[in-house]
Amino acid sequence: MIRSLALAGLAIGSLFWSQQAFAADAPILQPEVHTLSDIVTIGDFYRNAGDYAGIPLFRSPDMGTSGDVPAEQVAKRAQAAGLIAAGTNGLTKVVVYRRAETLGQRELKTIVAKALVERDASLSVEDLDITLFQAPSAVHADPSVENPVTVDQVLWSRTGGQFSLRLNISGLGGVHPLNLTGVAREMVEVSALIQPLSRGAIVKPEDLTTVRLARGSVPARALIDADEILGLAARSNLRANSPLTRNDFERPTIIPRGEKVTITYQLPGMKLTTRGQALEDGAAGDVIDIMNLQSRRKISATVISRGQVRVEPSVPVASLNERAQQ
Protein backbone atom coordinates (compact mmCIF):
# COMPACT_ATOMS: atom_id res chain seq x y z
CA MET A 1 0.00 0.00 0.00
CA ILE A 2 2.78 2.36 0.96
CA ARG A 3 4.62 1.48 -2.29
CA SER A 4 1.50 2.29 -4.33
CA LEU A 5 1.16 5.70 -2.68
CA ALA A 6 4.80 6.47 -3.35
CA LEU A 7 4.46 5.57 -7.02
CA ALA A 8 1.32 7.70 -7.30
CA GLY A 9 3.08 10.65 -5.73
CA LEU A 10 5.98 10.28 -8.13
CA ALA A 11 3.60 10.23 -11.08
CA ILE A 12 1.78 13.36 -9.89
CA GLY A 13 5.10 15.16 -9.35
CA SER A 14 6.29 14.26 -12.83
CA LEU A 15 3.01 15.52 -14.31
CA PHE A 16 3.31 18.80 -12.35
CA TRP A 17 6.85 19.49 -13.53
CA SER A 18 5.98 18.60 -17.11
CA GLN A 19 3.07 21.07 -16.98
CA GLN A 20 5.38 23.74 -15.55
CA ALA A 21 7.89 23.11 -18.32
CA PHE A 22 5.13 23.27 -20.91
CA ALA A 23 3.87 26.56 -19.47
CA ALA A 24 7.38 28.03 -19.57
CA ASP A 25 7.76 27.07 -23.22
CA ALA A 26 4.25 28.17 -24.26
CA PRO A 27 4.04 31.02 -26.78
CA ILE A 28 3.36 34.39 -25.13
CA LEU A 29 1.70 37.22 -27.05
CA GLN A 30 3.44 40.60 -26.65
CA PRO A 31 1.39 43.79 -26.08
CA GLU A 32 3.77 45.79 -28.32
CA VAL A 33 5.77 44.94 -31.41
CA HIS A 34 8.66 47.09 -32.70
CA THR A 35 9.96 46.25 -36.14
CA LEU A 36 12.16 47.62 -38.91
CA SER A 37 10.69 45.27 -41.51
CA ASP A 38 7.65 45.77 -43.70
CA ILE A 39 6.42 42.32 -42.55
CA VAL A 40 5.42 41.31 -39.00
CA THR A 41 6.08 37.64 -38.24
CA ILE A 42 4.82 35.16 -35.62
CA GLY A 43 8.14 35.60 -33.82
CA ASP A 44 7.52 39.35 -33.61
CA PHE A 45 4.16 38.76 -31.92
CA TYR A 46 5.01 35.74 -29.76
CA ARG A 47 7.86 34.76 -27.49
CA ASN A 48 8.68 31.04 -27.66
CA ALA A 49 7.38 30.78 -31.24
CA GLY A 50 10.02 28.17 -32.04
CA ASP A 51 10.15 26.95 -35.63
CA TYR A 52 7.17 29.15 -36.52
CA ALA A 53 8.91 32.44 -35.64
CA GLY A 54 9.74 33.41 -39.22
CA ILE A 55 6.22 32.93 -40.66
CA PRO A 56 4.72 36.30 -41.77
CA LEU A 57 1.31 37.28 -40.40
CA PHE A 58 0.68 40.96 -41.29
CA ARG A 59 2.15 43.84 -43.22
CA SER A 60 3.77 46.54 -41.06
CA PRO A 61 2.36 50.07 -40.91
CA ASP A 62 4.17 52.88 -42.73
CA MET A 63 7.59 53.87 -41.39
CA GLY A 64 7.41 56.09 -38.35
CA THR A 65 3.79 55.12 -37.62
CA SER A 66 1.94 52.48 -35.56
CA GLY A 67 -1.20 50.41 -35.85
CA ASP A 68 -3.43 48.26 -33.62
CA VAL A 69 -4.17 44.61 -34.40
CA PRO A 70 -6.90 42.66 -32.51
CA ALA A 71 -5.22 40.06 -30.30
CA GLU A 72 -7.81 37.42 -31.26
CA GLN A 73 -7.03 37.91 -34.94
CA VAL A 74 -3.31 37.50 -34.26
CA ALA A 75 -3.94 34.27 -32.35
CA LYS A 76 -6.17 32.81 -35.07
CA ARG A 77 -3.64 33.55 -37.82
CA ALA A 78 -0.80 32.10 -35.75
CA GLN A 79 -2.83 28.95 -35.05
CA ALA A 80 -3.71 28.62 -38.74
CA ALA A 81 0.01 28.89 -39.56
CA GLY A 82 0.77 25.96 -37.22
CA LEU A 83 1.40 27.52 -33.80
CA ILE A 84 -1.55 25.69 -32.22
CA ALA A 85 -0.82 26.89 -28.70
CA ALA A 86 -1.03 30.57 -29.72
CA GLY A 87 -3.49 32.56 -27.60
CA THR A 88 -4.35 36.10 -26.62
CA ASN A 89 -2.82 35.93 -23.12
CA GLY A 90 -5.61 38.16 -21.92
CA LEU A 91 -4.83 40.97 -24.41
CA THR A 92 -7.46 42.63 -26.59
CA LYS A 93 -5.01 44.25 -29.03
CA VAL A 94 -1.36 44.42 -30.01
CA VAL A 95 0.26 47.74 -31.01
CA VAL A 96 2.70 47.42 -33.90
CA TYR A 97 5.34 50.17 -34.28
CA ARG A 98 7.28 50.54 -37.51
CA ARG A 99 10.55 52.16 -36.57
CA ALA A 100 12.05 54.90 -38.73
CA GLU A 101 14.71 57.58 -38.63
CA THR A 102 12.60 60.72 -38.51
CA LEU A 103 14.16 63.83 -40.04
CA GLY A 104 12.42 67.01 -38.96
CA GLN A 105 13.24 70.57 -39.97
CA ARG A 106 16.14 70.70 -37.50
CA GLU A 107 17.75 67.52 -38.85
CA LEU A 108 17.27 68.63 -42.46
CA LYS A 109 18.97 71.96 -41.71
CA THR A 110 21.90 70.10 -40.14
CA ILE A 111 22.23 67.93 -43.24
CA VAL A 112 22.30 71.07 -45.42
CA ALA A 113 24.90 72.76 -43.18
CA LYS A 114 27.17 69.71 -43.18
CA ALA A 115 26.92 69.41 -46.97
CA LEU A 116 27.96 73.06 -47.41
CA VAL A 117 30.80 72.80 -44.89
CA GLU A 118 32.20 69.77 -46.71
CA ARG A 119 32.61 72.00 -49.75
CA ASP A 120 34.19 74.94 -47.89
CA ALA A 121 36.78 74.08 -45.26
CA SER A 122 36.80 77.65 -43.92
CA LEU A 123 33.33 77.16 -42.44
CA SER A 124 31.88 75.14 -39.57
CA VAL A 125 28.32 73.93 -39.09
CA GLU A 126 27.88 76.40 -36.21
CA ASP A 127 28.75 79.29 -38.56
CA LEU A 128 25.67 78.75 -40.74
CA ASP A 129 22.08 79.82 -40.26
CA ILE A 130 19.82 77.79 -42.55
CA THR A 131 16.37 78.81 -43.79
CA LEU A 132 14.44 76.16 -45.75
CA PHE A 133 11.87 77.01 -48.42
CA GLN A 134 8.74 74.79 -48.55
CA ALA A 135 10.50 71.80 -46.97
CA PRO A 136 8.45 68.91 -45.55
CA SER A 137 7.85 69.06 -41.79
CA ALA A 138 9.25 65.52 -41.42
CA VAL A 139 10.84 62.83 -43.59
CA HIS A 140 11.07 59.14 -42.62
CA ALA A 141 14.18 57.16 -43.57
CA ASP A 142 14.83 53.46 -43.18
CA PRO A 143 17.15 52.98 -40.15
CA SER A 144 18.10 49.50 -41.33
CA VAL A 145 20.03 51.03 -44.25
CA GLU A 146 23.66 51.91 -43.51
CA ASN A 147 23.37 55.40 -45.07
CA PRO A 148 19.64 56.19 -45.20
CA VAL A 149 20.29 59.78 -46.39
CA THR A 150 22.87 60.78 -48.99
CA VAL A 151 23.56 64.11 -50.69
CA ASP A 152 23.60 63.92 -54.46
CA GLN A 153 23.94 67.53 -55.61
CA VAL A 154 24.87 70.85 -53.95
CA LEU A 155 24.61 74.35 -55.36
CA TRP A 156 25.32 77.38 -53.14
CA SER A 157 26.01 81.05 -53.70
CA ARG A 158 28.05 82.12 -50.70
CA THR A 159 27.56 85.77 -51.61
CA GLY A 160 23.76 85.72 -51.80
CA GLY A 161 23.25 82.67 -49.62
CA GLN A 162 20.82 80.79 -51.91
CA PHE A 163 21.31 77.03 -52.05
CA SER A 164 19.81 73.97 -53.69
CA LEU A 165 20.44 70.40 -52.50
CA ARG A 166 19.24 67.05 -53.76
CA LEU A 167 18.97 64.30 -51.15
CA ASN A 168 18.39 60.59 -51.65
CA ILE A 169 16.18 59.15 -48.89
CA SER A 170 16.01 55.39 -48.37
CA GLY A 171 12.42 54.87 -47.33
CA LEU A 172 9.26 52.93 -48.03
CA GLY A 173 9.50 51.30 -51.43
CA GLY A 174 13.13 52.22 -52.09
CA VAL A 175 15.17 55.39 -52.55
CA HIS A 176 13.31 58.66 -53.12
CA PRO A 177 14.80 62.04 -54.12
CA LEU A 178 14.16 65.15 -52.05
CA ASN A 179 15.07 68.63 -53.29
CA LEU A 180 15.77 71.26 -50.65
CA THR A 181 16.12 74.97 -51.37
CA GLY A 182 16.65 77.94 -49.12
CA VAL A 183 19.20 80.44 -47.83
CA ALA A 184 22.37 79.67 -45.87
CA ARG A 185 23.90 82.70 -44.20
CA GLU A 186 27.34 82.77 -42.59
CA MET A 187 26.96 84.11 -39.06
CA VAL A 188 29.45 85.77 -36.71
CA GLU A 189 29.27 86.79 -33.05
CA VAL A 190 30.16 90.41 -32.36
CA SER A 191 30.10 92.71 -29.35
CA ALA A 192 27.05 94.93 -28.87
CA LEU A 193 25.38 97.07 -26.22
CA ILE A 194 22.55 95.73 -24.09
CA GLN A 195 21.08 99.25 -23.76
CA PRO A 196 21.72 102.48 -25.70
CA LEU A 197 24.78 104.43 -24.57
CA SER A 198 24.95 108.24 -24.52
CA ARG A 199 27.84 110.23 -25.91
CA GLY A 200 30.63 110.47 -23.34
CA ALA A 201 29.34 107.59 -21.20
CA ILE A 202 31.99 105.14 -19.97
CA VAL A 203 31.63 101.49 -21.07
CA LYS A 204 31.27 98.97 -18.24
CA PRO A 205 31.15 95.14 -18.47
CA GLU A 206 27.45 95.09 -17.64
CA ASP A 207 26.75 97.29 -20.69
CA LEU A 208 27.97 94.66 -23.14
CA THR A 209 26.66 91.48 -24.73
CA THR A 210 27.23 89.48 -27.92
CA VAL A 211 24.87 89.21 -30.86
CA ARG A 212 24.87 86.74 -33.74
CA LEU A 213 24.55 88.46 -37.10
CA ALA A 214 24.96 87.63 -40.77
CA ARG A 215 28.54 88.35 -41.80
CA GLY A 216 27.36 90.49 -44.71
CA SER A 217 25.69 92.96 -42.32
CA VAL A 218 28.68 93.28 -39.99
CA PRO A 219 31.25 96.09 -40.45
CA ALA A 220 34.75 94.96 -41.37
CA ARG A 221 36.18 96.27 -38.09
CA ALA A 222 33.40 95.04 -35.82
CA LEU A 223 34.56 94.23 -32.31
CA ILE A 224 34.83 90.59 -31.36
CA ASP A 225 36.59 91.09 -28.02
CA ALA A 226 34.66 93.52 -25.80
CA ASP A 227 37.67 93.95 -23.49
CA GLU A 228 39.12 96.37 -26.05
CA ILE A 229 36.57 99.07 -25.18
CA LEU A 230 36.05 98.63 -21.44
CA GLY A 231 36.68 101.95 -19.68
CA LEU A 232 36.41 103.96 -22.91
CA ALA A 233 33.81 106.62 -23.65
CA ALA A 234 31.25 106.64 -26.45
CA ARG A 235 32.10 109.15 -29.19
CA SER A 236 28.41 109.54 -30.03
CA ASN A 237 25.02 108.18 -29.00
CA LEU A 238 25.09 104.43 -29.67
CA ARG A 239 22.19 102.00 -30.23
CA ALA A 240 21.69 98.65 -28.54
CA ASN A 241 22.19 95.30 -30.33
CA SER A 242 24.21 96.85 -33.18
CA PRO A 243 27.80 95.91 -34.10
CA LEU A 244 30.42 98.09 -32.43
CA THR A 245 33.77 99.22 -33.79
CA ARG A 246 36.84 100.58 -32.01
CA ASN A 247 36.20 103.94 -33.68
CA ASP A 248 32.91 104.26 -31.79
CA PHE A 249 34.89 104.89 -28.61
CA GLU A 250 37.61 107.12 -27.27
CA ARG A 251 39.48 107.63 -24.06
CA PRO A 252 37.24 109.47 -21.60
CA THR A 253 37.67 113.25 -21.34
CA ILE A 254 39.17 114.24 -17.99
CA ILE A 255 39.79 117.88 -18.88
CA PRO A 256 36.84 119.51 -20.66
CA ARG A 257 37.22 122.57 -22.87
CA GLY A 258 37.29 125.79 -20.81
CA GLU A 259 38.46 124.16 -17.56
CA LYS A 260 41.15 125.88 -15.51
CA VAL A 261 44.28 123.73 -15.19
CA THR A 262 47.74 123.74 -13.62
CA ILE A 263 50.56 123.81 -16.16
CA THR A 264 53.78 122.13 -15.08
CA TYR A 265 57.12 122.86 -16.78
CA GLN A 266 59.59 120.14 -15.91
CA LEU A 267 63.16 121.43 -16.27
CA PRO A 268 66.49 119.85 -15.32
CA GLY A 269 66.76 120.36 -11.57
CA MET A 270 63.56 122.42 -11.24
CA LYS A 271 59.83 122.40 -11.77
CA LEU A 272 57.79 125.48 -12.66
CA THR A 273 54.02 125.77 -12.54
CA THR A 274 51.51 128.30 -13.75
CA ARG A 275 47.81 128.57 -14.43
CA GLY A 276 46.12 127.91 -17.75
CA GLN A 277 42.80 127.20 -19.43
CA ALA A 278 41.99 124.22 -21.73
CA LEU A 279 41.07 125.29 -25.25
CA GLU A 280 39.79 121.78 -26.12
CA ASP A 281 38.72 118.53 -24.50
CA GLY A 282 41.45 116.15 -23.45
CA ALA A 283 41.79 112.57 -22.28
CA ALA A 284 44.75 111.18 -20.33
CA GLY A 285 47.80 111.27 -22.59
CA ASP A 286 46.29 113.67 -25.14
CA VAL A 287 48.24 116.73 -26.26
CA ILE A 288 45.85 119.69 -26.22
CA ASP A 289 46.03 123.44 -26.63
CA ILE A 290 46.20 125.42 -23.38
CA MET A 291 45.98 129.19 -22.87
CA ASN A 292 48.68 130.39 -20.46
CA LEU A 293 46.64 132.80 -18.32
CA GLN A 294 49.71 134.85 -17.39
CA SER A 295 51.24 135.32 -20.85
CA ARG A 296 47.94 134.91 -22.76
CA ARG A 297 49.84 132.68 -25.20
CA LYS A 298 48.65 129.36 -26.53
CA ILE A 299 50.83 126.36 -25.80
CA SER A 300 50.60 122.60 -26.27
CA ALA A 301 50.60 120.37 -23.20
CA THR A 302 49.99 116.74 -22.32
CA VAL A 303 47.02 115.83 -20.13
CA ILE A 304 48.32 114.13 -16.97
CA SER A 305 45.25 113.89 -14.75
CA ARG A 306 42.19 115.94 -13.85
CA GLY A 307 43.21 119.62 -13.80
CA GLN A 308 46.87 118.81 -14.53
CA VAL A 309 48.84 119.23 -17.77
CA ARG A 310 52.54 119.11 -18.49
CA VAL A 311 54.66 120.80 -21.10
CA GLU A 312 56.84 118.16 -22.69
CA PRO A 313 60.65 118.43 -22.19
CA SER A 314 61.17 118.73 -25.94
CA VAL A 315 60.05 122.36 -25.72
CA PRO A 316 63.17 124.62 -25.67
CA VAL A 317 64.25 125.58 -22.15
CA ALA A 318 64.59 129.25 -23.05
CA SER A 319 61.01 129.29 -24.21
CA LEU A 320 59.86 127.59 -21.01
CA ASN A 321 61.68 130.12 -18.85
CA GLU A 322 60.24 132.92 -20.88
CA ARG A 323 56.71 131.63 -20.43
CA ALA A 324 57.18 130.98 -16.74
CA GLN A 325 58.36 134.55 -16.16
CA GLN A 326 55.53 136.10 -18.08
Side-chain angles (χ1 to χ4, degrees):
M1 181 66 176
I2 295 174
R3 178 179 175 82
S4 298
L5 290 174
L7 291 174
L10 181 59
I12 292 172
S14 299
L15 177 61
F16 173 78
W17 289 112
S18 65
Q19 288 176 341
Q20 289 293 98
F22 175 78
D25 294 337
I28 301 173
L29 184 62
Q30 306 300 304
E32 293 183 359
V33 173
H34 295 261
T35 182
L36 296 174
S37 173
D38 57 355
I39 297 295
V40 189
T41 66
I42 290 180
D44 292 325
F45 283 108
Y46 287 93
R47 290 207 310 262
N48 303 328
D51 295 338
Y52 301 95
I55 298 177
L57 288 187
F58 297 93
R59 291 194 64 84
S60 298
D62 291 341
M63 282 194 301
T65 65
S66 63
D68 296 344
V69 184
E72 187 176 352
Q73 186 177 0
V74 175
K76 287 181 178 180
R77 289 202 179 186
Q79 292 168 6
L83 189 63
I84 305 301
T88 64
N89 295 100
L91 301 176
T92 58
K93 67 177 182 179
V94 178
V95 183
V96 179
Y97 295 92
R98 176 80 177 276
R99 290 165 54 190
E101 182 174 346
T102 301
L103 307 172
Q105 293 271 320
R106 181 178 178 180
E107 289 75 19
L108 292 175
K109 289 179 180 180
T110 300
I111 290 173
V112 171
K114 288 182 177 179
L116 299 181
V117 168
E118 286 179 358
R119 287 155 178 78
D120 192 330
S122 67
L123 295 173
S124 67
V125 172
E126 294 74 20
D127 292 335
L128 297 177
D129 178 71
I130 307 295
T131 301
L132 297 175
F133 297 158
Q134 299 180 337
S137 58
V139 176
H140 298 299
D142 188 350
S144 64
V145 178
E146 183 176 356
N147 294 307
V149 181
T150 59
V151 179
D152 186 36
Q153 181 180 359
V154 179
L155 297 174
W156 181 40
S157 169
R158 186 166 180 175
T159 303
Q162 294 83 4
F163 69 82
S164 173
L165 267 77
R166 176 183 170 128
L167 306 181
N168 293 319
I169 312 292
S170 296
L172 187 63
V175 178
H176 306 281
L178 175 63
N179 293 319
L180 295 177
T181 59
V183 173
R185 297 180 301 168
E186 185 181 357
M187 308 296 287
V188 293
E189 286 192 351
V190 296
S191 296
L193 295 169
I194 296 176
Q195 299 292 337
L197 199 64
S198 300
R199 181 180 181 273
I202 306 301
V203 182
K204 301 181 289 297
E206 56 267 30
D207 295 326
L208 297 167
T209 186
T210 57
V211 293
R212 184 173 166 87
L213 300 173
R215 182 176 291 278
S217 64
V218 174
R221 295 186 177 182
L223 281 173
I224 304 299
D225 184 2
D227 290 343
E228 295 182 32
I229 58 172
L230 289 177
L232 299 184
R235 288 183 183 271
S236 60
N237 295 333
L238 298 174
R239 296 180 299 170
N241 298 317
S242 295
L244 301 172
T245 68
R246 180 62 179 79
N247 289 336
D248 291 327
F249 300 90
E250 60 187 0
R251 287 172 297 171
T253 296
I254 60 174
I255 295 181
R257 183 175 181 271
E259 182 174 274
K260 300 295 192 299
V261 297
T262 297
I263 307 171
T264 298
Y265 299 93
Q266 190 71 46
L267 302 172
M270 73 174 66
K271 181 171 69 173
L272 304 175
T273 61
T274 187
R275 298 291 293 167
Q277 185 175 21
L279 299 180
E280 55 187 331
D281 294 340
D286 286 348
V287 177
I288 62 174
D289 288 337
I290 302 291
M291 174 67 72
N292 186 317
L293 294 179
Q294 291 183 346
S295 66
R296 309 306 297 178
R297 292 184 179 180
K298 184 173 70 173
I299 61 174
S300 295
T302 301
V303 176
I304 304 303
S305 61
R306 295 190 181 277
Q308 299 287 329
V309 298
R310 182 180 65 216
V311 175
E312 293 302 320
S314 58
V315 177
V317 174
S319 176
L320 294 178
N321 289 333
E322 176 186 355
R323 290 178 181 175
Q325 293 169 359
Q326 291 178 344

